[in-house]
Amino acid sequence: MVNISFIDCASTGNAGGGFQIYLGAYHAEGTQAPFSVRLKNMQITGGGRYGFGFGKLSARGSVTVEDSVVQGSASSAVSIFHHSGLNSSTTFTSCRFIDTCGRSRADPDSYGRTCAPIALSLSRNVASGGNVSFSKCEVVDNVKRPWLIASPGFK
């Protein structure tokens, strides 16, 4: 998973998430090469879950999202889960998150969390998280709620 790029791709109305990266198997195999994934000019519209879902990014490497839009997802625009951040980084640059969380939903999601455009969570065996950055991004939300929810331990 080195130098993988997705450029000018779209996800429209998927039953699940827009684009998901889950590296549990990559980490479990003990792969030595650091992963590197780049998503540029991605368009995610609607969908039954989150826009971008990234999980188990505990192997060495990076995910970069640039110039992308998530609009109208049923859950968070960005959901980063089971992420320790000790060896990996996730960067969002010049992205827009518009009317996510079902546009009007302020009640807890299927995991018991209040929905927010950006959600960061840890797994039970991870004490701290981090190395997630957002630069020149915009959240547009028609509901009064936090724009970010994070598990205790995220720095």
Side-chain angles (χ1 to χ4, degrees), residues 21-128:
I21 298 173
Y22 185 82
L23 296 176
Y26 191 83
H27 175 69
E29 292 173 1
T31 306
Q32 297 301 312
F35 68 89
S36 56
V37 179
R38 178 179 181 224
L39 301 112
K40 182 174 175 65
N41 199 27
M42 308 297 278
Q43 303 295 317
I44 301 169
T45 307
R49 294 184 72 191
Y50 43 73
F52 291 105
F54 301 150
K56 202 74 169 185
L57 302 180
S58 52
R60 290 184 308 123
S62 64
V63 174
T64 303
V65 181
E66 306 167 86
D67 305 316
S68 296
V69 176
V70 178
Q71 184 166 6
S73 59
S75 190
S76 300
V78 175
S79 179
I80 298 178
F81 50 94
H82 306 295
H83 175 67
S84 71
L86 295 175
N87 298 310
S88 66
S89 65
T90 305
T91 304
F92 291 84
T93 305
S94 300
C95 294
R96 297 187 75 214
F97 312 122
I98 305 166
D99 292 331
T100 60
C101 295
R103 296 178 56 98
S104 63
R105 198 178 99 205
D107 57 316
D109 67 10
S110 60
Y111 298 102
R113 301 176 306 192
T114 301
C115 194
I118 300 170
L120 310 174
S121 63
L122 303 173
S123 63
R124 292 182 189 149
N125 59 350
V126 177
S128 66

